[in-house]
Amino acid sequence: MPLLEVKNLHVEVEDKQILKGLTLTVEKGQVAAIMGPNGSGKSTLAYVLAGKDNYHVTEGEVLLDGESILEMAPDERAAKGVFLAFQYPVEVPGVATMTFLRTALNAQRKHRGEPEFSTPEFLKLVRETSKHLGIDQEMLRRAVNVGFSGGEKKRNEILQMAVLQPRLAVLDETDSGLDIDALKIVADGVNRLRSPERSMIVITHYQRLLNYIVPDVVHVMARGRVVKSGGKELALELEASGYAQFADEAA
Amino acid sequence: MNVDPRAMKTQAEQALSAAFAAARGTLPGKGAVATLRDDAFQRFDAKGLPHRRVEEWKYTDLRALMREAKPLAGPADAKPKGDIAPILTGVETNCIAIVNGRYEPGWSDFKASDAGVTVAELFKFLGENPGYRLGQVPGGDDPAQWLNTAFMSGGVALRIKRGTVVAKPIHIAHVFSGAGAAAMYPRSVVIVEPGAQVTLIESFSGPEGIDYQVNSALELVIGDGARVDHIKVGCDGGAALRVSTLGVAVGAKATYKDFAFTIGGAVVRNQTFVRFGGEGSEGAIDGASLLKGRQHVDNTLVISHAAGHCTSRERFKSVLDGESHGIFQGKIIVEPHAQKTDGKMMTRALLLSDEAEADNKPELEIFADDVVCGHGATAGALDEGLKFYLMSRGIPATEAEALLIQAFIGEVVEEIAHEGIRDALMFGALKWLGSRA
């Protein structure tokens, strides 16, 4: 059974139809890239998977391990293993990163009926992961994302992903706003989390990120649907030819 | 003599007149104090209880909110078991108990280890120090303060001698004790001499379910180079009506930090009048309110810069649930010669229900030309984007909300320098959050 099946998904945001019959399958352990022009519905897909309010599914279904997740609150989906790395991570004044990570991890474990992490185990996990991502201890003591640079915010997303160990990670334009050095650190962090047990959806506008996070499959989205799928070479073709052809096809 | 032609006296105003006439001869203090009382009551009587057409009391219409004036509270019985201000349990203090408006050494726990600290009953102090005249701090021209002056029944005079650094916080605990509703009028004086430092807690507590009334006043005189951290903790019973007036005179190169934490009471007004009278001082007047049900809490500040080169910061946050009503009025006055004044005011209200109401009234009156002053105010619901971010990480909705509210309040509670007090108040806020769910 595939990990994720999205079937004929129609989604409205503020009475505007954004997804118009999107179908997508992600196998266990697969890294799927989703590319497409601005406005094609990539970020909407990311938010719908995570369960954001005001994204109304009017038709279709989303199955995780064959189970529909559309009726689940965002925290239940997270406990089932869904993780969204935000394109624009929000600042949470007054909540220390460490507190945030621990609260989230233990809430998920509680939901799954697992025991809470012990403090030493938790600290070890966070320390090791943050070291790889170049996140210093001072940053962990600070409020979540407050005063962080764009690159630091993206690294913090990957840190959360590493700590929460999701089964389906959706990375929404993780490359946006990153210079090449920051991009390499983030990609390296993501690659470290690749495993046969974990699937990823890497959403990006540009091929550049896919040099560092090499996908198993590439899907092209246009006008609210997947219009073409192929191997990693498809990303290179797109880089050369642009998205205009798909805009025409979908019309 | 011309008397304001005003509407017929309310039931409460009539009761206050009768109470003053009856108690006048027996209230403590003779001579100058008695004259002060008479004068204050006359001024009150001419104007009556403040109402919504009195600009300073616009949002707290005392004439409507105070339907009756309770009888004057009698002396307290013996101290019951347990802490008198439970929210501060665990904070080590020297405690001065003012019960039903009178200093009660038997309820107090004061072991003055500092030779530089003296405590005396207010009227004993005034009798022995004829040079000290009550009412020299700002805030005297106010109807609630006139009532306090007319009826003041007791309190303490606390003096921190020159250069004394007081180790433990001093806690003035105002308590209402009794089975039936009554009114209490405590008045205290705190004199912090030049170079001295003290952390002063003022708490207010009383039983649930009794509609007792408190009209308290504190005069705080801060000498040159002194530092005072004043933390006011409002934990009144849910039916109580309280008005507290704080008048502060700040000397030169002094530091004054104030924090008003309000969680209890049906109707509460904290009115704070500060005058920076010497150059180079710093002030921070902050506060946090956590309200639910039909609570009404008004924090009103008048910050007057009468000398140059002073900095003042005001930061107030309120969390409003149910049908509660939170009010902030802040006025910064910069007098003509108070150049290089730096004054900033910020208020934020977090509305947890559609029925809650927040009113903000910032005012700047600037008569000097070389100053930096500003204010900002926001009111809104919890940020859904933030809540979604937390939930997307697996944190359930109620826990996410609690974390965000805690963070919202935490930002300003952090301003309290004393760690133990800070933690105790944060813990109180957490309990409040727990009781919401």
Side-chain angles (χ1 to χ4, degrees):
Chain A
M1 192 197 294
L3 180 72
L4 178 75
E5 289 173 276
V6 179
K7 295 179 185 169
N8 190 33
L9 191 64
H10 289 68
V11 173
E12 276 182 11
V13 183
E14 289 171 352
D15 293 330
K16 194 172 171 226
Q17 188 99 45
I18 308 287
L19 298 186
K20 302 166 184 171
L22 182 135
T23 295
L24 173 74
T25 299
V26 180
E27 302 294 339
K28 280 200 180 74
Q30 194 178 58
V31 173
I34 294 188
M35 302 184 70
N38 290 330
S40 58
K42 303 189 300 291
S43 285
T44 298
L45 173 63
Y47 281 141
V48 170
L49 291 176
K52 193 169 167 60
D53 263 0
N54 304 323
Y55 284 68
H56 301 293
V57 176
T58 54
E59 203 183 330
E61 53 186 349
V62 176
L63 307 177
L64 188 74
D65 286 324
E67 182 187 12
S68 173
I69 60 169
L70 288 177
E71 295 303 313
M72 294 180 189
D75 58 306
E76 284 179 80
R77 299 184 195 202
K80 295 262 180 203
V82 178
F83 178 91
L84 169 63
F86 283 58
Q87 182 179 1
Y88 303 107
V90 296
E91 300 187 358
V92 193
V95 179
T97 305
M98 251 344 204
T99 310
F100 176 60
L101 284 172
R102 189 197 302 249
T103 308
L105 181 62
N106 283 332
Q108 287 199 17
R109 293 181 68 88
K110 188 176 165 194
H111 193 278
R112 292 194 291 260
E114 297 164 5
E116 291 197 346
F117 252 50
S118 75
T119 303
E121 269 180 302
F122 174 77
L123 291 176
K124 185 162 173 268
L125 173 66
V126 175
R127 240 194 316 268
E128 281 177 5
T129 315
S130 52
K131 197 159 64 191
H132 288 308
L133 289 165
I135 294 173
D136 63 32
Q137 300 301 302
E138 171 56 26
M139 258 174 79
L140 296 173
R141 278 192 290 272
R142 275 154 59 189
V144 179
N145 294 329
V146 176
F148 288 19
S149 69
E152 285 172 334
K153 286 180 182 172
K154 295 296 173 84
R155 278 186 275 156
N156 194 15
E157 293 292 288
I158 306 307
L159 170 65
Q160 293 171 38
M161 174 172 154
V163 169
L164 298 172
Q165 299 276 326
R167 298 170 60 229
L168 174 68
V170 182
L171 285 76
D172 188 9
E173 308 246 3
T174 294
D175 50 333
S176 69
L178 294 186
D179 63 27
I180 193 69
D181 293 329
L183 182 67
K184 281 180 181 167
I185 295 171
V186 166
D188 187 45
V190 172
N191 286 330
R192 209 184 298 275
L193 292 167
R194 286 179 85 144
S195 107
E197 300 303 313
R198 181 171 298 121
S199 308
M200 297 187 190
I201 296 176
V202 181
I203 295 173
T204 181
H205 188 79
Y206 302 104
Q207 185 270 337
R208 185 181 73 153
L209 176 66
L210 305 179
N211 288 334
Y212 300 97
I213 304 174
V214 181
D216 299 312
V217 288
V218 175
H219 301 286
V220 181
M221 266 183 81
R223 301 197 166 192
R225 292 158 56 172
V226 173
V227 292
K228 188 167 187 179
S229 300
K232 62 187 177 202
E233 63 288 345
L234 181 55
L236 291 167
E237 282 173 36
L238 283 171
E239 185 75 358
S241 60
Y243 290 117
Q245 48 173 328
F246 299 110
D248 292 339
E249 266 177 37
Chain B
M1 190 176 127
N2 285 326
V3 174
D4 279 1
R6 46 182 201 91
M8 225 168 65
K9 282 187 178 180
T10 65
Q11 193 191 335
E13 287 163 351
Q14 290 174 29
L16 287 166
S17 292
F20 188 70
R24 200 174 158 262
T26 55
L27 286 164
K30 302 281 167 264
V33 172
T35 310
L36 208 58
R37 283 188 196 281
D38 286 345
D39 179 55
F41 193 79
Q42 265 175 27
R43 292 172 78 182
F44 169 77
D45 201 42
K47 290 276 170 69
L49 286 166
H51 49 80
R52 62 194 158 81
R53 285 187 303 279
V54 176
E55 187 58 30
E56 294 81 359
W57 288 80
K58 181 174 170 168
Y59 299 102
T60 300
D61 184 333
L62 215 50
R63 193 149 78 184
L65 291 164
M66 191 174 151
R67 288 291 165 82
E68 50 180 330
K70 304 294 179 189
L72 297 183
D77 296 331
K79 180 185 178 299
K81 285 205 170 76
D83 287 317
I84 50 181
I87 196 170
L88 293 164
T89 298
V91 181
E92 272 204 39
T93 65
N94 270 313
C95 181
I96 297 165
I98 315 283
V99 187
N100 292 1
R102 291 170 191 83
Y103 174 37
E104 289 288 351
W107 286 53
S108 304
D109 182 11
F110 197 90
K111 300 177 193 74
S113 47
D114 301 285
V117 179
T118 58
V119 184
E121 198 283 323
L122 179 71
F123 294 100
K124 187 165 178 280
F125 168 84
L126 292 175
E128 289 166 3
N129 296 271
Y132 188 87
R133 288 187 302 133
L134 278 178
Q136 298 307 297
V137 294
D141 194 21
D142 171 87
Q145 180 68 348
W146 295 330
L147 270 186
N148 178 277
T149 302
F151 285 106
M152 58 190 173
S153 51
V156 290
L158 173 67
R159 188 193 285 267
I160 315 297
K161 297 231 172 78
R162 185 179 284 268
T164 305
V165 177
V166 184
K168 251 195 230 179
I170 295 176
H171 176 188
I172 298 182
H174 298 274
V175 185
F176 177 80
S177 171
M184 61 187 203
Y185 293 86
R187 173 82 159 243
S188 289
V189 170
V190 176
I191 301 159
V192 183
E193 293 184 352
Q197 294 185 22
V198 65
T199 295
L200 180 71
I201 305 171
E202 225 191 326
S203 73
F204 294 86
S205 52
E208 289 297 324
I210 297 180
D211 51 347
Y212 64 91
Q213 297 175 338
V214 184
N215 179 333
S216 76
L218 180 73
E219 305 192 354
L220 175 57
V221 181
I222 303 174
D224 294 349
R227 173 175 176 140
V228 176
D229 291 74
H230 174 246
I231 298 104
K232 186 187 281 182
V233 183
C235 289
D236 287 290
L241 181 149
R242 170 168 68 83
V243 178
S244 291
T245 306
L246 171 64
V248 190
V250 186
K253 294 192 174 66
T255 303
Y256 163 54
K257 281 177 72 80
D258 199 285
F259 196 95
F261 182 85
T262 310
I263 204 162
V267 176
V268 173
R269 169 153 161 135
N270 288 313
Q271 43 178 8
T272 300
F273 303 86
V274 182
R275 184 171 189 272
F276 289 96
E279 292 195 346
S281 289
E282 281 181 30
I285 297 104
D286 302 326
S289 304
L290 294 159
L291 311 180
K292 57 189 171 188
R294 297 175 59 83
Q295 281 181 288
H296 172 117
V297 172
D298 175 342
N299 279 293
T300 290
L301 310 179
V302 180
I303 312 296
S304 163
H305 285 269
H309 299 274
C310 290
T311 304
S312 68
R313 292 286 177 273
E314 293 82 42
R315 287 157 293 214
F316 275 76
K317 288 200 172 184
S318 51
V319 178
L320 307 169
D321 203 356
E323 297 166 63
S324 64
H325 187 183
I327 296 127
F328 175 83
Q329 302 188 101
K331 185 191 271 190
I332 300 177
I333 303 163
V334 182
E335 294 185 8
H337 50 278
Q339 302 294 3
K340 304 288 180 192
T341 290
D342 176 355
K344 284 192 189 68
M345 192 153 63
M346 183 281 294
T347 65
R348 290 183 66 194
L350 181 58
L351 299 155
L352 300 181
S353 97
D354 291 342
E355 284 77 42
E357 180 180 338
D359 290 297
N360 275 305
K361 193 177 79 182
E363 292 173 276
L364 299 175
E365 285 182 4
I366 300 171
F367 303 103
D369 52 15
D370 186 12
V371 302
V372 183
C373 285
H375 63 78
T378 64
L382 266 184
D383 186 324
E384 288 297 323
L386 284 182
K387 190 174 156 190
F388 172 62
Y389 189 65
L390 266 57
M391 288 182 74
S392 79
R393 298 307 184 242
I395 303 173
T398 47
E399 216 177 314
E401 283 186 11
L403 201 57
L404 291 173
I405 298 166
Q406 187 190 337
F408 175 81
I409 285 295
E411 264 193 313
V412 64
V413 174
E414 283 298 308
E415 298 295 333
I416 298 172
H418 191 283
E419 193 184 351
I421 300 171
R422 200 166 65 217
D423 291 351
L425 296 186
M426 220 42 227
F427 188 70
L430 285 179
K431 267 178 71 178
W432 185 90
L433 285 171
S435 72
R436 256 193 91 222

